[in-house]
Amino acid sequence: MPHVTDTTRPFGRVLTAMVTPMTTDGAVDLEATVRLARHLVDAGNDGLVLSGTTGEASTTHAPEKAEIVQAVVEAVGDQAYVLAGAGSNDTAHAVRMAEQAAEAGAHGLLVVAPYYSRPSQAGVLAHFAAVADATDLPVMLYDVPGRTGVRLAPATIEAAAAHPRVVAMKDAAGDPYAAARAISRTGLAWYSGDDSLLLPLLAVGGVGIVGVATHVAAAQVAAAIRAWEAGDHAEALRVFLTIAPAIDAVNGAGFQAVAAKAALEISGYLPTRAVRLPLVAASDDELETIRAGLRAAGLLDIALR
C-alpha cells in the first residue's frame, strides 16, 4: 500500500470508480481487470474503487468480488490504494462483504447508505457502524441519494465521523454548501463523487475525486487539482473545461458503467464493452456519441497514440 504522507488525503487525490471488465459471455475478465488497473495507475490514479456502482456491484457475486480485489491488489497494491465496495441494504450482507474485502487484501472500504429500504437516519448510522466495526480497514462513506433514496442528514454524518475508522466521504449529493458545513464540522476527507462538481467541492474544502471520467482523463483531472491547490484557479478551470465533453459523455445518461466501458473500448483499453443485465451495452449510436465526447476533449488521439 502507498505510504500515507498526508492524513487529510487518506486515499490520495484521484481515484477511479473502476468498471469490472467482462467477456462477451458475461464472465468477469480478470486479465483485462489487471491490465486496466495497471493502466489507470500509470495514467495518474492514486487509488481504485472496486465493486461500486460503476463496477456493477449489484450483479457481481461474492467469489468474483474477492477475486477482483485480490487480483488488483497483487497488480497495483504497492502503488495505489485499493478500496472495495461493501454496499448492501442488508447490513449482515454488507458486513460479510467488508470482511471478505479485508481478507482479499483491500486497503479500505466504500460503504454506501442502504439503498431501496430507505431506512431512518438512526438505521443508516447503525448500518455504517456495523460495517465499520467488521474490519480494521479505513472507511469512506458514500452519500448518493439519487441511487439510494436516502440522503445523509448532517447529524448522521457527524455521528458517523466520530467512528475511528470512518475517515472520508464520497459526496454525490450535489450540494456544495452542505458539504462545506460538513467538512468544517467533521474533518472528514471529502471526495467528489460527481465528476462535474469537482471544482465546487475543492472550493469548499474537498481533497479529491472518486471519478468515472478518470477512466480516460485521470491525468487532466490530476492537473486541474494540482492547479487549484497551487492557487491557479483559472488554470484549474481551463483544464477542467477541456475535458468537459468527456465528463458529459460518460455521465450524461446516468449509466456510468455502460458509458465508461464504451469509452474504454473506444480508447483501446478494454476488448469489449460487455455488461450484465439489467444493464445493456452501449448501442452503436451511443458509442458514436461517446466517441465524439472523447474526441472533443482531445482524449481520443492521446489514447490511440
Side-chain angles (χ1 to χ4, degrees):
M1 182 170 63
H3 180 61
V4 176
T5 58
D6 185 347
T7 57
T8 64
R9 295 181 179 84
F11 305 115
R13 290 175 174 81
V14 180
L15 296 87
T16 287
M18 194 175 109
V19 301
T20 298
M22 295 175 182
T23 62
T24 54
D25 61 0
V28 171
D29 188 338
L30 285 179
E31 290 185 6
T33 297
V34 166
R35 288 196 303 271
L36 178 60
R38 287 175 173 154
H39 161 69
L40 291 174
V41 172
D42 289 344
N45 280 281
D46 302 314
L48 303 172
V49 179
L50 310 176
S51 296
T53 305
T54 308
E56 299 178 72
S58 60
T59 52
T60 54
H61 309 299
E64 294 172 325
K65 288 180 171 67
E67 289 173 349
I68 291 166
V69 171
Q70 185 174 356
V72 172
V73 169
E74 289 177 357
V76 300
D78 60 341
Q79 303 169 64
Y81 298 98
V82 179
L83 280 68
S88 175
N89 62 342
D90 174 354
T91 301
H93 183 206
V95 165
R96 290 196 297 273
M97 293 169 71
E99 293 169 341
Q100 179 186 57
E103 292 170 1
H107 303 145
L109 301 172
L110 178 73
V111 184
V112 70
Y115 46 81
Y116 186 75
S117 302
R118 299 180 67 184
S120 67
Q121 293 294 309
V124 172
L125 183 59
H127 175 90
F128 284 157
V131 181
D133 285 341
T135 78
D136 293 328
L137 297 178
V139 171
M140 177 186 286
L141 302 179
Y142 185 16
D143 189 13
V144 57
R147 291 192 181 275
T148 64
V150 176
R151 182 172 178 182
L152 301 184
T156 302
I157 296 172
E158 291 179 41
H163 194 288
R165 282 186 287 282
V166 173
V167 300
M169 174 69 77
K170 178 183 176 185
D171 182 357
D175 189 346
Y177 172 67
R181 293 170 65 86
I183 292 167
S184 68
R185 290 172 175 171
T186 67
L188 290 178
W190 216 263
Y191 290 82
S192 177
D194 184 332
D195 291 344
S196 67
L197 290 181
L198 170 61
L199 295 186
L201 283 179
L202 291 178
V204 298
V207 302
I209 187 170
V210 180
V212 178
T214 47
H215 280 96
V216 290
Q220 292 80 357
V221 170
I225 294 174
R226 287 195 301 270
W228 184 276
E229 292 175 344
D232 193 345
H233 298 166
E235 174 63 8
L237 180 59
R238 185 196 68 78
V239 173
F240 186 78
L241 289 177
T242 64
I243 60 169
I247 291 173
D248 292 341
V250 299
N251 290 283
F255 303 109
Q256 284 88 351
V258 171
K261 283 186 170 181
L264 290 165
E265 183 188 56
I266 291 166
S267 302
Y269 300 126
L270 277 187
T272 172
R273 58 187 184 273
V275 293
R276 284 183 178 170
L277 288 171
L279 298 180
V280 294
S283 68
D284 289 344
D285 287 345
E286 290 168 332
L287 201 69
E288 288 311 306
T289 298
I290 294 166
R291 190 190 308 275
L294 299 183
R295 183 176 291 114
L299 297 173
L300 194 53
D301 291 342
I302 293 172
L304 296 179
R305 283 175 189 166

